[in-house]
């Protein structure tokens, strides 16, 4: 081994991957550790969940992305603990990785707050497996409705409740509506999929609270045009088998719904908690670690935390949002800090987030966008969304294909990746909120989800 | 319900799907029953297993394919038994489907002969789940080798044994060789993936026994140019954890190999056995049902068996091979028989297979083809293979995308669908022949495979 400083980066999401790339050409040994062998392009995951794209279309092998970066290697492994005094990362398989600089970017996972039991009944959308599970549930619901006699149970199978009015919830609700209205109608003989009911529930008084009020209204309008029922100021009180209880401005309401999806919140990955214990770092309510202006931990200038795992408050007084642009910019900032420290400086330059605006898509030709003072909605915003994502995807090279796939879906209204896969996908419809699949396979997937983001 | 004759078709593979389509416009009620919601384009499944295509690229939703055929409906359900006296198909969920004509096309599943315990150690390639499992094993093997110190165990992780020299085995071995030689080399830092050893084992004296000897030699030559070691006249004696024992012309040999894949044989789906019991139909050694010249069962002119489940010997004295063109032509023949019977005829016209030739691909620009007296190999055969598959895929409409994906891979040498997914894909490399994954999730997947083809 050489004596060049070793940088260990944990997590191959936007933060970790851009951190690794920003160190290209530096006289360092960079090791990127992830439990998965691919980077997931999360902004398009909802397309996988609704059958528009395949998992392979929104993933790039980490080794492939970094193949030309000579000072970087990829390690498929799970970090489980830290020895911060000895500067070591401990891996699940018993090995230890020494570091001179450590970058932790293990992101966030779906948060059910104090209702962990909802996890099984209302899956979140963070991993490829989450997406194919949601896809399975949505498609199985239509299949089951097709086989049910007309009546309330058929209606419950045709009712989809999406909890959370942030970008994930809005995108999911819009896509399900398009699937039901445009893609599926001709496929079924007994049900009219256009009559499917899609309900989007948000606890606050408007959708997309990170956007301006005007755009929140535009988003709501677009969703309503697609036939989505939007309930703001509404809290979820209970999720039971085939039923959701809501409490809104007009009192309590019970919806008979067989498919419930969760986009209401995230919390920091469990590895963040371990890191906080080992370093004494403070965390916020969501489990994110408070970082110094240069993204390092207090008392540990050699450890940086970035992306959804970091709580950065030095710019505006409130934490930066957990979105891809923040993670990317923080990832790129890592190289500045490392270079400064290698030049003997006590601390790195302060991170500054440059907010280039907000974008959310609602469906085909429908989106909302906010770039500084400019606000747009409808087709112009959607075209902007497409251009931005094209530009972004091209950084991952051969992802151009995804665009061709998109263009294709756009002109044909088809969604070609409508596969029901996994153990539960066999043997016909089942009540997926209660039974479905063997006990053993469900145990497996439950465990998976729990450990999801502890890369 | 109308009083039009009811045709129930079990299985949405090539046979069942073409049978349903051939009945388009006829005054009938057609019900296509399958456990899965999609048709699988099996000839390209090896591309999924080696990361070239995503599962969604080689699947079409059955409902989508049949959406414009007004007399057909699709039922996502599992057939488990028959009451042939009452003309009913019994479904797993307790329902029964009445029929006037029954078409059984549930195909074949991987056959381990008397070595059922090899199933876990050497997966076959019949379903989407098989393909992603093989993909997981191949990619994990390279990942694990990368982390192993130089030595015999690393070499075992870089050794791939493919059992069976038919089209599946030849395509798999060729693709793994291309993956190792052309796609992966730059991705790894510690191993030279080009040194991976790929061994193709065939019990008979040549590869592709369905082809002429000249083309067998050409296929062997192409594989050797790709670096594949071909062992003919060689039997597998044992598959153990990390070891395969072979017996060939030069005596016994033991290979240290962590990845073993099975392409050596298939047998009829278990539902065929049930049908034989209920109807008294004879079966051949592979469990296929002997059919009459019009594809019906003896004594049951209302029941037809087609595709890989049927043993048809009336044309040449020996059974037709279990390939897609036979299944397709038999599927199309179903409508002729049904129409003849509806006109009051005792039996339908005899089926005649029109052999349009044999085609097998070995790798990029390498294939062998045989069309009547014309024999080709190399680039011309490969171009023919591409043209035939383009033509074929276009029948499934928007599958044109697959071609774009292909063209892309062709020019970039990349394989973009290199995801390690599933329970075992987390937490880094593992010995996938013995441990790997939680016990519960392995139980689940084992059960899945067993029931695979009982559509």
């Amino acid at each position: 081994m050489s004596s060049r400083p070793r940088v260990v980066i944990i997590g191959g999401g936007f933060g970790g991957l851009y951190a690794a790339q920003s160190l290209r050409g530096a006289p360092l040994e960079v090791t990127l550790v992830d439990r998965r062998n691919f980077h997931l392009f999360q902004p398009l995951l909802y397309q996988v969940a609704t059958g528009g794209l395949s998992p392979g279309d929104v993933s790039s092998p980490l080794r492939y992305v970094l193949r030309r970066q000579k000072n970087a290697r990829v390690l498929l492994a799970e970090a489980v603990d830290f020895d911060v005094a000895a500067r070591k990362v401990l891996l699940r398989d018993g090995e230890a990785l020494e570091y001179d600089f450590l970058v932790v970017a293990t992101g966030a996972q779906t948060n059910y707050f104090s209702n962990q039991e909802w996890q099984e009944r209302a899956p979140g959308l963070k991993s490829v497996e989450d997406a194919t599970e949601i896809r399975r549930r949505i498609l199985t619901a239509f299949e089951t409705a097709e086989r049910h006699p007309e009546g309330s149970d058929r209606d419950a199978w045709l009712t989809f409740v999406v909890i959370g009015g942030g970008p994930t919830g809005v995108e999911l609700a819009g896509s399900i509506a398009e699937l039901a209205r445009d893609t599926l109608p001709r496929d079924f003989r007994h049900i009219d999929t256009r009559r499917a009911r899609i309900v989007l529930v948000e606890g606050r008084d408007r959708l997309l609270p990170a956007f301006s009020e005007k755009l929140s209204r535009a988003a709501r309008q677009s969703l309503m045009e697609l036939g989505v029922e939007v309930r703001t100021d509404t809290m979820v009180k209970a999720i039971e088998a085939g039923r959701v209880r809501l409490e809104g401005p007009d009192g309590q309401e019970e919806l008979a719904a067989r498919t419930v999806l969760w986009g209401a919140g995230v919390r920091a990955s469990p590895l963040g908690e371990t890191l906080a214990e080992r370093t004494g770092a403070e965390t916020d309510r969501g489990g994110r670690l408070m970082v110094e202006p240069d993204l390092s931990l207090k008392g540990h200038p050699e450890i940086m935390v970035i992306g959804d795992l970091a709580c950065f408050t030095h710019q505006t007084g409130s934490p930066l949002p957990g979105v891809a642009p923040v993670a990317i910019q923080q990832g790129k900032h890592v190289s500045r800090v490392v270079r400064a420290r290698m030049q003997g400086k006590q601390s790195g330059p302060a991170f500054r987030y440059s907010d280039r605006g907000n974008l959310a898509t609602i469906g085909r030709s429908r989106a909302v966008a906010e770039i500084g003072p400019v606000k747009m909605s409808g087709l112009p915003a959607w075209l902007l969304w497409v251009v931005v994502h094209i530009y972004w995807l091209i950084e991952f090279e051969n992802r151009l294909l995804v665009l061709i796939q998109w263009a294709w879906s756009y002109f044909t209204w088809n969604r070609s990746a409508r596969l029901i896969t996994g153990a539960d996908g066999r043997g016909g419809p089942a009540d997926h909120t209660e039974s479905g699949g063997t006990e053993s396979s469900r145990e497996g997937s439950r465990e998976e989800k729990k450990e999801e983001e502890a890369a």
Side-chain angles (χ1 to χ4, degrees), chain A:
Chain A
M1 283 298 191
S2 82
S3 58
R4 297 197 293 178
R6 292 152 303 185
V7 182
V8 171
I9 301 169
I10 306 176
F14 283 113
L17 192 54
Y18 276 84
Q21 288 182 319
S22 77
L23 295 167
R24 186 170 178 168
L28 296 161
E29 266 180 24
V30 179
T31 302
L32 179 64
V33 181
D34 201 301
R35 293 181 60 166
R36 311 303 301 258
N37 74 325
F38 53 88
H39 168 77
L40 180 61
F41 195 82
Q42 287 235 8
L44 289 178
L45 199 53
Y46 78 98
Q47 285 279 356
V48 177
T50 52
L53 293 173
S54 285
D57 299 330
V58 298
S59 316
S60 295
L62 288 169
R63 295 192 183 284
Y64 178 76
V65 179
L66 294 175
R67 71 196 179 287
R68 291 207 183 86
Q69 188 173 331
K70 296 285 173 233
N71 70 348
R73 64 174 185 136
V74 173
L75 196 63
L76 185 67
E78 184 186 0
V80 291
D81 206 344
F82 306 91
D83 181 341
V84 294
R87 299 196 173 176
K88 280 180 184 173
V89 177
L90 310 180
L91 305 179
R92 163 87 59 200
D93 57 20
E95 279 188 51
L97 274 180
E98 293 182 28
Y99 61 81
D100 297 295
F101 297 98
L102 174 65
V103 180
V104 184
T106 50
Q109 61 185 27
T110 304
N111 187 11
Y112 294 87
F113 306 100
S114 50
N115 300 292
Q116 202 53 38
E117 72 279 11
W118 292 355
Q119 180 173 316
E120 190 71 7
R121 293 183 187 152
L125 183 61
K126 291 298 284 180
S127 69
V128 159
E129 283 78 10
D130 287 346
T132 50
E133 169 65 13
I134 289 178
R135 182 177 74 183
R136 187 187 71 74
R137 290 192 185 209
I138 293 171
L139 296 174
T140 304
F142 286 108
E143 293 289 341
T144 312
E146 171 83 351
R147 293 194 58 190
H148 261 286
E150 210 154 340
S152 66
D153 206 34
R154 180 192 277 186
D155 292 344
W157 281 110
L158 287 175
T159 303
F160 301 84
V161 177
V162 179
I163 301 166
T168 299
V170 166
E171 283 161 357
L172 267 179
S175 292
I176 298 170
E178 288 191 327
L179 185 70
R181 270 180 27 142
D182 303 320
T183 308
L184 295 181
R186 272 211 283 220
D187 285 11
F188 290 87
R189 297 287 178 264
H190 302 299
I191 56 170
D192 180 357
T193 61
R194 286 166 299 192
R195 287 185 44 223
R197 197 175 164 197
I198 297 115
V199 183
L200 180 62
V201 179
E202 165 61 46
R204 280 159 294 187
D205 63 346
R206 59 190 182 96
L207 299 178
L208 302 173
F211 288 65
S212 70
E213 286 201 35
K214 190 181 158 197
L215 285 183
S216 287
R217 275 198 302 278
R220 187 182 191 127
Q221 184 60 33
S222 290
L223 284 168
M224 283 164 61
E225 283 165 18
L226 281 170
V228 175
E229 300 173 33
V230 178
R231 307 278 166 87
T232 45
D233 280 320
T234 301
M235 303 298 291
V236 179
K237 307 306 282 185
I239 305 175
E240 288 152 21
R243 254 200 314 272
V244 179
R245 256 192 305 125
L246 305 176
E247 191 168 279
D250 308 324
Q252 290 229 353
E253 182 186 13
E254 194 168 280
L255 289 174
R258 288 284 180 181
T259 311
V260 185
L261 307 175
W262 187 261
V266 294
R267 69 170 286 119
S269 86
L271 196 69
E273 207 175 308
T274 309
L275 182 63
E277 275 173 37
R278 300 290 175 255
T279 57
E282 277 180 70
T283 56
D284 73 355
R285 264 195 333 153
R288 296 186 294 180
L289 281 77
M290 310 301 293
V291 293
E292 297 292 287
D294 68 352
L295 305 175
S296 67
L297 294 182
K298 198 177 221 162
H300 285 281
E302 79 283 8
I303 303 179
M304 274 163 278
V305 177
I306 60 174
D308 288 3
L309 190 63
C311 182
F312 184 89
T313 56
H314 306 280
Q315 190 165 343
T316 60
S318 59
L320 292 176
V323 294
V326 171
I328 290 171
Q329 291 180 32
Q330 291 183 337
K332 289 177 174 170
H333 190 72
V334 161
S335 71
R336 291 181 210 119
V337 177
V338 170
R339 285 171 216 263
R341 303 273 328 287
M342 284 168 67
Q343 288 161 14
K345 292 191 182 138
Q346 276 290 321
S347 68
F351 172 72
R352 274 203 79 76
Y353 175 53
S354 147
D355 186 353
R356 303 209 180 105
N358 262 322
L359 261 170
T361 175
I362 291 146
R364 201 176 120 117
S365 326
R366 290 183 173 90
V368 291
E370 209 161 53
I371 301 108
V374 183
K375 294 176 179 54
M376 301 185 232
S377 60
L379 187 64
W382 187 79
L383 289 173
L384 179 71
W385 184 85
V386 169
V387 168
V388 166
H389 283 75
I390 286 176
Y391 175 79
W392 204 354
L393 280 167
I394 283 173
E395 298 195 22
F396 294 96
E397 303 195 43
N398 75 341
R399 310 283 74 204
L400 205 69
L401 268 176
V402 176
L403 294 166
I404 299 172
Q405 178 110 24
W406 248 352
W408 189 269
S409 309
Y410 187 87
F411 290 112
T412 62
W413 291 98
N414 190 26
R415 289 168 176 265
S416 62
R418 303 205 304 271
L419 282 67
I420 301 179
T421 52
D424 295 0
R426 311 290 178 67
D431 180 348
H432 54 230
T433 58
E434 281 298 282
S435 66
T438 61
E439 193 56 34
S440 60
S441 66
R442 281 172 60 219
E443 282 300 335
S445 75
R446 207 177 288 143
E447 207 163 286
E448 262 168 67
K449 260 179 227 142
K450 243 178 263 161
E451 295 181 27
E452 182 57 15
E453 294 300 313

